[in-house]
Amino acid sequence: MHRRITSHVETEPHSSGPQPDGDPEPNNNGNPEGEENHQSDNEEDPHNNDAPPPPSPVRRSHRERRKAISDDYITYMSEDVDDIGKVEDPTSYKEAIKILNSSKWQIAMEDELKSMGSNDVWDLVEVPDGAKRVGSKWIYKTKYDPKGNIERFKARLVAKGFTQREGIDYNETFSPVSSKDSFRTVMALVAHFDLELHQMDIKTAFLNGDLDEDVYMTQPEGFVVEGKEHLACRLKKSIYGLKQASRQWYLKFDKIIRTFGFTENVKDNCIYVKFKGSRFTILVLYVDDILLACSDKDMLHETKNFLSSNFDMKDLGEASYVLGIEIHRDRSKGWGTDEQAVIYILAHRDAAQRKLIRLAYEEKYSESLTQRLQSELSGDFQTAMSYWILDPVERQAVIANSATKCIDEEYPVIVEIAYANSPAELLKVKQAYHALYKRSLEEDVAANATGNLRDLLLALVGTYRYDGDEVNGGLAKSEAKIIHKAVGNGSITDDGELTRILGTRSKAQLVATFNCFSDDHSTTVTKALLHAEDPTGYTRALRIAARCIADTNKYLVKVLRNAMRSSGTDEESLTRVVVMHAEKDLKEIKDEFHKRASVALEQAVAKETSGDYKTFIMALVGSQ
């Protein structure tokens, strides 16, 4: 809950409140309260020289008193003590398994231990003589979003570091933490230079740190291994709670981030910066939270990809809630875009309606709506919306063009486009490509690919295959033998025959050929290609082509499942499949996904994405 606190000092009139030296308050005519105006009976004679001089009057300042803090000095705070009505977290394992949400806390603890296992945090061993065990404890925390809604239940296993002994269980413990002043400075730079501002979370950050000491910890309460109660956990990673955990994590992160060209700030050791010519990225590390302020979107994505390849990261998208501070972005340049309104207007319109909106916008404002969205939006949301605003064939042409620029890695996209479309649909995509780039798709494929891979891709996109259902059984048998000869001995011995078959035959004919192959050799073409050794991308391209031919939707479901694996979300692949098929056959893909993953596509997307990107993709998938 956020409070707006206005700090100020109230100024009282001079006549109120206690007076200096404890004097009683004066009455209306200046005498102390309770005294008479006439002289008292024992008052000394003013003419008596022996009488003591009257006391000097108390001097008081007549300056106007100003408030110590001005009224416009406002502090915004986020305090857990003000979380009225929120769920009270359990304080022990025994309490967690008995309260209302015990099943959710049980799942949270199991997830924590699963994470410990995947990170190889400890080994169960006998405790050596003279060694002391460090206790362990469960810590429970209910996580909330900025609006106060429950986001998830988090259980964390920590070591009781207060029982560690210096020089035995740990040595150095110091670890720097970025200051709030540095955070404010970065925010000022973001506003001044109109930088992209994104946030990432490092899952189980401390588990990345390596221990230099031998530390033995008691097994977690409620999860003691039966029959091994006498054993202890010999820690290999710097688990939360250890005195050196924070330091070991920082040293690991510092070592890795420097290899990517970042340099440490001399004043704040948790701020790093990287320059590429006039472009730059600022990285702020606050324990396990990372803030990225970047002048270039490509550098931003490169940094995110690097971090995700080295740590278990969660991309939170554009920063909105950092260190208890809620961030509202109001860019003075451009629209000050209302992303929710953009999603509401465009995500629920079909291709014809979106085209009318584009034309109306361009007529009214004399600028391209597509270009305006690209300049106003950012990140994966901007990429997805930029694709969606296009006509379906133009969209595929743009995606294909992007793939040709790094075809050694993105050739699966070309194969996907070739087989996900009918010959007539593929022709329209190529026509759109020619209109947009003033050259053919085949020309760009030939210019960027090499060897057998180039020959295969050119055959896939350059041939107008027959689209009928007729099948030649004899031809299917003979070409099944050719395929087996090319891949059956564990390596590719292809003289162009595989390319000829896959690139020219109709889909119905190829399915018949694959069935003959399976009947004759008790395996599928895909599995046979899986065991074929080939250092180039040719074999994998053949395998993808075979999967698309056999069942395009099954292949696309595999792409989606790989895109949302636990190691990190591949937003590029997720965007491509959802946006390309939202107006075509996404319902069939969703049904196949649910069948194979035992979870709805909507649930998987909701779990693995965030921010405006999540809202937009969820709208296309159809849950909103």
Side-chain angles (χ1 to χ4, degrees):
M1 181 179 296
H2 299 281
R3 296 197 308 167
R4 169 172 165 157
I5 303 175
T6 306
S7 302
H8 63 275
V9 177
E10 296 291 345
T11 305
E12 301 290 350
H14 295 312
S15 59
S16 63
Q19 302 299 314
D21 301 323
D23 292 342
E25 293 187 7
N27 57 19
N28 290 339
N29 46 12
N31 289 323
E33 201 170 76
E35 292 188 9
E36 301 292 338
N37 288 330
H38 58 78
Q39 289 181 337
S40 62
D41 293 338
N42 59 358
E43 186 178 359
E44 297 292 341
D45 183 355
H47 299 290
N48 186 352
N49 293 331
D50 294 332
S56 302
V58 177
R59 297 182 63 186
R60 305 186 190 278
S61 172
H62 295 288
R63 291 181 301 170
E64 180 184 356
R65 293 188 181 182
R66 297 181 179 177
K67 297 175 183 180
I69 304 176
S70 62
D71 286 335
D72 61 353
Y73 188 87
I74 299 171
T75 305
Y76 290 89
M77 301 180 65
S78 175
E79 299 182 87
D80 290 337
V81 295
D82 280 348
D83 292 340
I84 300 172
K86 291 187 176 181
V87 176
E88 186 174 345
D89 297 325
T91 57
S92 67
Y93 172 79
K94 292 180 180 178
E95 182 181 347
I97 61 175
K98 292 180 180 179
I99 60 174
L100 180 63
N101 291 313
S102 59
S103 61
K104 293 183 172 63
W105 291 120
Q106 182 70 25
I107 293 172
M109 288 186 285
E110 291 171 359
D111 288 344
E112 174 75 353
L113 290 180
K114 188 182 296 183
S115 176
M116 295 280 184
S118 64
N119 283 282
D120 194 26
V121 176
W122 66 63
D123 292 325
L124 279 179
V125 299
E126 298 272 0
V127 180
D129 293 338
K132 183 179 178 182
R133 302 189 190 205
V134 174
S136 63
K137 178 179 173 62
W138 286 106
I139 301 295
Y140 305 95
K141 181 68 177 175
T142 307
K143 297 288 187 177
Y144 299 90
D145 63 18
K147 296 181 180 179
N149 301 315
I150 293 179
E151 206 168 44
R152 62 191 174 104
F153 293 85
K154 174 67 179 177
R156 174 155 284 162
L157 181 66
V158 303
K160 294 182 178 179
F162 57 84
T163 62
Q164 288 182 268
R165 295 163 295 175
E166 185 175 2
I168 299 176
D169 299 317
Y170 72 93
N171 291 300
E172 294 186 71
T173 62
F174 172 74
S175 174
V177 177
S178 184
S179 69
K180 289 291 183 69
D181 287 340
S182 298
F183 173 75
R184 295 187 188 98
T185 302
V186 171
M187 291 299 99
L189 292 172
V190 169
H192 181 74
F193 292 106
D194 194 31
L195 306 179
E196 301 300 328
L197 184 66
H198 283 234
Q199 184 181 6
M200 300 187 80
D201 175 66
I202 307 165
K203 301 177 184 178
T204 57
F206 284 9
L207 300 187
N208 291 284
D210 300 314
L211 279 179
D212 299 324
E213 303 85 9
D214 288 330
V215 179
Y216 300 89
M217 185 186 75
T218 59
Q219 295 186 49
E221 185 178 4
F223 296 88
V224 177
V225 179
E226 187 176 353
K228 298 182 179 180
E229 294 85 353
H230 62 292
L231 301 182
C233 304
R234 184 176 66 82
L235 299 178
K236 298 191 285 185
K237 302 288 184 179
S238 54
I239 190 173
Y240 287 84
L242 293 180
K243 290 183 179 294
Q244 68 267 50
S246 179
R247 175 179 177 80
Q248 297 304 116
W249 153 239
Y250 167 75
L251 292 175
K252 183 68 169 287
F253 181 85
D254 179 75
K255 179 182 178 180
I256 289 177
I257 201 65
R258 287 174 181 271
T259 64
F260 195 56
F262 278 87
T263 56
E264 188 181 60
N265 183 275
V266 294
K267 295 292 184 181
D268 190 323
N269 299 135
C270 287
I271 291 185
Y272 299 84
V273 64
K274 178 180 179 180
F275 286 94
K276 273 190 176 182
S278 60
R279 301 176 297 160
F280 63 90
T281 298
I282 301 171
L283 185 151
V284 182
L285 175 68
Y286 196 88
V287 189
D288 58 357
D289 287 316
I290 288 180
L291 202 63
L292 295 171
C294 193
S295 64
D296 180 76
K297 291 179 182 177
D298 289 338
M299 281 191 73
L300 176 67
H301 295 315
E302 287 173 6
T303 304
K304 284 186 175 184
N305 291 337
F306 174 78
L307 291 170
S308 297
S309 66
N310 284 277
F311 305 106
D312 188 3
M313 306 291 300
K314 185 170 182 62
D315 189 351
L316 302 177
E318 293 190 46
S320 60
Y321 193 68
V322 183
L323 306 180
I325 301 171
E326 192 168 358
I327 299 173
H328 294 282
R329 189 77 183 264
D330 182 13
R331 284 175 159 163
S332 57
K333 301 176 182 178
W335 290 347
T337 310
D338 183 349
E339 285 83 358
Q340 296 302 312
V342 172
I343 294 171
Y344 179 79
I345 293 170
L346 296 176
H348 303 284
R349 303 293 186 268
D350 61 26
Q353 292 170 326
R354 295 196 305 274
K355 184 174 183 178
L356 290 174
I357 292 172
R358 292 201 314 270
L359 294 174
Y361 181 88
E362 291 169 9
E363 181 178 353
K364 183 173 179 63
Y365 299 105
S366 301
E367 65 175 348
S368 166
L369 176 59
T370 303
Q371 292 178 359
R372 171 57 76 178
L373 288 172
Q374 289 175 345
S375 66
E376 293 293 335
L377 307 180
S378 62
D380 298 309
F381 176 46
Q382 180 265 325
T383 301
M385 184 59 77
S386 296
Y387 287 156
W388 179 249
I389 195 70
L390 299 171
D391 290 329
V393 292
E394 287 184 342
R395 181 189 307 141
Q396 293 193 64
V398 171
I399 292 173
N401 177 258
S402 178
T404 61
K405 294 178 180 177
C406 46
I407 204 163
D408 289 340
E409 297 177 359
E410 297 297 328
Y411 61 83
V413 177
I414 304 297
V415 179
E416 197 176 300
I417 291 174
Y419 280 113
N421 292 286
S422 68
E425 290 170 338
L426 180 59
L427 178 60
K428 291 180 180 179
V429 172
K430 294 196 295 180
Q431 289 171 340
Y433 193 102
H434 192 277
L436 286 170
Y437 303 108
K438 309 307 177 189
R439 58 184 183 273
S440 68
L441 174 58
E442 294 90 333
E443 183 180 349
D444 282 348
V445 168
N448 293 287
T450 58
N452 289 336
L453 177 62
R454 176 176 60 190
D455 296 339
L456 175 63
L457 295 179
L458 285 174
L460 296 185
V461 301
T463 305
Y464 192 96
R465 298 186 305 276
Y466 177 65
D467 198 29
D469 295 329
E470 294 82 2
V471 171
N472 185 325
L475 181 64
K477 285 182 175 293
S478 65
E479 292 191 336
K481 292 180 181 178
I482 293 173
I483 293 174
H484 182 261
K485 181 180 178 182
V487 302
N489 61 359
S491 62
I492 297 293
T493 55
D494 183 24
D495 55 1
E497 286 295 275
L498 288 177
T499 295
R500 177 186 65 79
I501 294 170
L502 295 179
T504 61
R505 299 304 184 197
S506 69
K507 190 168 184 178
Q509 182 67 42
L510 287 171
V511 169
T513 300
F514 289 176
N515 289 337
C516 288
F517 185 97
S518 299
D519 293 340
D520 293 342
H521 306 290
S522 301
T523 188
T524 65
V525 172
T526 303
K527 289 181 180 179
L529 287 166
L530 186 63
H531 299 297
E533 297 181 1
D534 176 27
T536 70
Y538 178 55
T539 301
R540 185 176 175 227
L542 288 170
R543 194 163 62 247
I544 292 171
R547 283 177 175 156
C548 287
I549 292 164
D551 193 322
T552 304
N553 285 348
K554 282 185 180 179
Y555 169 73
L556 293 174
V557 166
K558 184 177 180 66
V559 172
L560 287 173
R561 293 182 68 184
N562 287 339
M564 293 183 283
R565 57 186 181 272
S566 59
S567 59
T569 305
D570 178 4
E571 287 84 359
E572 185 177 344
S573 296
L574 175 60
T575 297
R576 185 179 74 250
V577 175
V578 171
V579 172
M580 280 178 53
H581 296 271
E583 298 173 289
K584 189 177 180 182
D585 51 2
L586 188 58
K587 184 181 183 305
E588 290 79 4
I589 294 171
K590 286 168 59 178
D591 292 341
E592 185 68 28
F593 186 94
H594 188 273
K595 177 181 175 182
R596 294 191 166 271
S598 300
V599 65
L601 179 58
E602 294 92 328
Q603 291 176 276
V605 170
K607 180 181 178 182
E608 299 298 334
T609 58
S610 61
D612 295 321
Y613 175 73
K614 171 183 176 179
T615 304
F616 178 58
I617 294 298
M618 290 289 284
L620 296 188
V621 169
S623 68
Q624 298 179 1

